[in-house]
Amino acid sequence: MKEFLDEHFLLETKTAARLYHDYAKEMPIIDYHNHLPPDQIAADLQFGNMTQIWLAGDHYKWRAMRANGVSEAYITGNKSDEEKFGKWAETVPYTMRNPLYHWTHLELQRYFGIHELLSDKNASTIYQQCNEQLQSPEFSVRNLLRRMNVQQVCTTDDPLDSLNFHQQLMDGAFEIGVAPAFRPDKAMNPDDLDTLNQYIDKLESISDIEITDYDSYLKALKSRHDYFAAKGCTVSDHGLEQIYAEDFEAAEIRQIFENIRLRIALTPSEALKFKSAMLYEFALWDHEKGWVQQYHLGALRNNNRRALQNLGPDTGWDSIGDFSQAAALSRFLDKLDADDRLTKTIIYNLNPADNDVMAAMIGNFNDGSLAGKIQFGSAWWFNDQKEGMIKQLNTLSNIGLLSRMVGMLTDSRSFLSFPRHEYFRRILCNLYATDVENGELPNDIEWIGKTIQDICYYNAKNYFAFPALKNG
């Protein structure tokens, strides 16, 4: 019987162990999509305790605690940090077979050297041990990134963001690249006209462009796109229920924008056309600059109205949606490709039922101009676990080229989340090794090892034009 979380964790054969330890383990990390706060990196923050660095903002853990009967007071409420940690520790044994059980103990091992299994019995001791280490300069956020061999991170930023902290990092001596990503979801969402109009007013002030109509709105947003590019941005990102690809006329969109400014409620058809027009414009700008555009599709957000009212968004009340994806996605990509204005694109699906749809769709628009130009992104959010990763990797293998995949990302707000790359790499190596052991792949360890290194690092390095990696 293997020990829990030993050096061969998730590696079922000697071939898997060799692939991981000799080829994957030491590869640098390019984390091209996350939600890390750039101000904390710029300040080289040191967190005061484990609750602040580990539990605050982590809605994965919050959902597990709620399911375990933990009161909200211990999650987002006013209980002390130590009490909140205690309730998480009390929950951990009940997370067995949930990926949180693996991630929790991987993070305790990799960052703090703690191999005990966390529970209510040792919560106080582990809390104090971790807190003592957090006071050391070795546990500043920059040193945490260094410890995990991170070479590049890419945050997620609204077009209105000043990017001052990214500029500080560019001007400083920090050797790890920290680039922004252009996330314009709020700019194209007319579902709440008051909120959108407030956004437009802020954009007008920040861009110093008077917004009198749709064309000037695009001009102001384009100025922010240009501003992001000047600050090292080479990536856009969109979090959508589904791709919007309705047919529209320019005159229609101009009238719809006028109605938005007059706060005249849009019909469902008008809202879809506005979203479609905006999404198309963003894609044109991305192509113009040679950026990578990312589409995260399929989240059904804010399901619990009472919780949304009390706690706000992004607090753990989102889930998988069953939206129709294929037809609109095909129309959108084809419209761009028809004029040869489709840039490098990564598509992520939240509903695992759409795996085959996404893997097949990317093949329609990989035109030979670049290996892996259109990507089926790594298992995302609810799929970011062992079974979900295996399904995504197998689907991509069966329908496309896994060897050209740009690898893993954390999609996290936590500086302790980087062992997820290790988790992915172990699963990846085990998949290849199983096929070798079964005679389904040749025992060509050198070539397979190179392929694994490409997936873990080199494909992403070559795919993304991150300034910090150009001379690396």
Side-chain angles (χ1 to χ4, degrees):
M1 181 184 298
K2 292 177 64 175
E3 293 291 326
F4 174 67
L5 224 64
D6 68 0
E7 63 176 334
H8 300 317
F9 173 59
L10 297 176
L11 307 173
E12 297 174 344
T13 64
K14 290 183 179 179
T15 302
R18 182 180 176 189
L19 287 173
Y20 175 72
H21 292 292
D22 292 355
Y23 292 93
K25 182 178 180 180
E26 301 301 327
M27 299 307 296
I29 288 174
I30 298 174
D31 200 58
Y32 52 87
H33 174 72
N34 61 62
H35 299 272
L36 294 178
D39 59 322
Q40 295 180 356
I41 305 175
D44 200 15
L45 180 70
Q46 283 194 247
F47 288 89
N49 60 53
M50 275 296 282
T51 299
Q52 294 173 13
I53 193 173
W54 214 28
L55 300 181
D58 191 341
H59 53 79
Y60 287 78
K61 294 186 178 75
W62 294 354
R63 285 169 68 100
M65 292 169 75
R66 290 169 186 143
N68 199 43
V70 175
S71 165
E72 197 66 32
Y74 293 93
I75 301 172
T76 61
N78 58 6
K79 294 294 185 179
S80 71
D81 285 348
E82 185 166 4
E83 288 175 307
K84 290 178 179 179
F85 183 88
K87 287 296 183 181
W88 168 240
E90 181 182 307
T91 298
V92 167
Y94 294 93
T95 67
M96 283 189 178
R97 304 207 81 246
N98 183 290
L100 285 166
Y101 194 77
H102 286 162
W103 296 345
T104 292
H105 293 104
L106 271 176
E107 290 163 12
L108 287 174
Q109 282 193 19
R110 298 297 178 263
Y111 290 101
F112 300 96
I114 293 173
H115 291 256
E116 296 179 62
L117 300 180
L118 181 61
S119 71
D120 59 333
K121 296 180 178 62
N122 58 12
S124 180
T125 300
I126 289 179
Y127 186 69
Q128 295 305 323
Q129 288 177 350
C130 293
N131 289 351
E132 289 173 9
Q133 293 185 60
L134 286 172
Q135 307 316 305
S136 164
E138 296 178 4
F139 282 79
S140 72
V141 296
R142 295 191 189 187
N143 282 327
L144 291 174
L145 294 173
R146 292 182 177 113
R147 179 180 299 208
M148 291 292 109
N149 198 18
V150 177
Q151 200 172 81
Q152 175 75 50
V153 297
C154 187
T155 61
T156 305
D157 310 275
D158 188 89
L160 302 187
D161 197 299
S162 70
L163 303 184
N164 287 341
F165 298 110
H166 293 86
Q167 186 64 57
Q168 289 179 28
L169 290 161
M170 289 172 65
D171 294 341
F174 190 38
E175 73 280 8
I176 297 173
V178 182
F182 189 80
R183 179 77 172 256
D185 296 353
K186 294 179 181 177
M188 57 176 282
N189 185 5
D191 296 341
D192 184 329
L193 293 183
D194 287 337
T195 298
L196 179 55
N197 274 287
Q198 292 169 14
Y199 188 92
I200 295 169
D201 292 342
K202 290 178 183 177
L203 173 63
E204 185 175 52
S205 175
I206 289 171
S207 66
D208 199 26
I209 294 174
E210 185 179 9
I211 299 175
T212 58
D213 53 22
Y214 180 64
D215 291 331
S216 54
Y217 184 46
L218 290 181
K219 181 180 178 181
L221 281 171
K222 179 65 159 55
S223 75
R224 300 306 297 170
H225 198 272
D226 295 340
Y227 178 81
F228 269 57
K231 300 297 183 181
C233 181
T234 61
V235 178
S236 73
D237 184 68
H238 307 264
L240 308 171
E241 292 179 347
Q242 58 198 130
I243 287 288
Y244 304 112
E246 298 297 305
D247 291 331
F248 60 86
E249 299 292 336
E252 287 183 284
I253 306 304
R254 292 188 178 98
Q255 183 60 56
I256 289 169
F257 185 79
E258 183 176 336
N259 290 345
I260 288 171
R261 294 302 272 167
L262 293 171
R263 289 175 168 78
I264 297 174
L266 305 185
T267 66
S269 175
E270 289 172 333
L272 282 175
K273 287 184 177 184
F274 181 75
K275 293 176 181 179
S276 300
M278 296 293 295
L279 198 63
Y280 180 68
E281 290 293 337
F282 296 143
L284 294 181
W285 302 344
D286 292 345
H287 176 266
E288 177 187 279
K289 292 185 174 70
W291 284 10
V292 175
Q293 58 191 8
Q294 301 179 90
Y295 298 100
H296 288 83
L297 306 177
L300 185 63
R301 299 182 186 272
N302 301 321
N303 294 272
N304 189 318
R305 287 180 294 167
R306 179 166 58 92
L308 177 65
Q309 182 177 359
N310 293 335
L311 301 174
D314 301 321
T315 53
W317 312 98
D318 304 332
S319 63
I320 296 170
D322 56 353
F323 307 101
S324 177
Q325 300 290 355
L329 180 57
S330 176
R331 288 196 303 272
F332 178 74
L333 296 176
D334 183 61
K335 184 176 181 178
L336 293 165
D337 184 77
D339 296 327
D340 197 18
R341 299 173 84 177
L342 176 59
T343 192
K344 292 177 283 188
T345 302
I346 306 177
I347 304 166
Y348 309 85
N349 59 290
L350 194 56
N351 190 336
D354 294 326
N355 279 0
D356 294 276
V357 169
M358 300 303 174
M361 185 63 68
I362 66 171
N364 298 325
F365 299 98
N366 269 317
D367 56 10
S369 61
L370 172 73
K373 175 182 174 180
I374 313 299
Q375 291 272 329
F376 175 26
S378 61
W380 170 46
W381 199 344
F382 292 103
N383 300 317
D384 183 8
Q385 26 78 9
K386 180 183 174 183
E387 184 177 359
M389 290 181 189
I390 291 172
K391 285 181 178 179
Q392 189 272 343
L393 293 169
N394 281 334
T395 303
L396 180 55
S397 298
N398 290 332
I399 299 178
L401 295 182
L402 174 58
S403 56
R404 293 303 188 179
M405 182 188 180
V406 293
M408 186 56 178
L409 48 89
T410 63
D411 192 28
S412 173
R413 293 168 174 80
S414 171
F415 289 96
L416 299 184
S417 66
F418 284 87
R420 292 185 194 179
H421 283 266
E422 174 186 339
Y423 200 71
F424 169 85
R425 291 174 179 186
R426 288 176 178 271
I427 289 169
L428 177 70
C429 290
N430 195 66
L431 278 179
Y432 272 97
T434 298
D435 286 352
V436 171
E437 295 283 344
N438 290 338
E440 297 176 38
L441 288 177
N443 189 22
D444 188 345
I445 298 302
E446 184 177 349
W447 175 256
I448 293 174
K450 176 188 178 299
T451 299
I452 285 170
Q453 289 183 332
D454 286 345
I455 296 168
C456 294
Y457 173 70
Y458 288 109
N459 288 346
K461 181 181 180 183
N462 294 331
Y463 190 78
F464 294 93
F466 289 125
L469 298 182
K470 286 184 177 179
N471 299 319

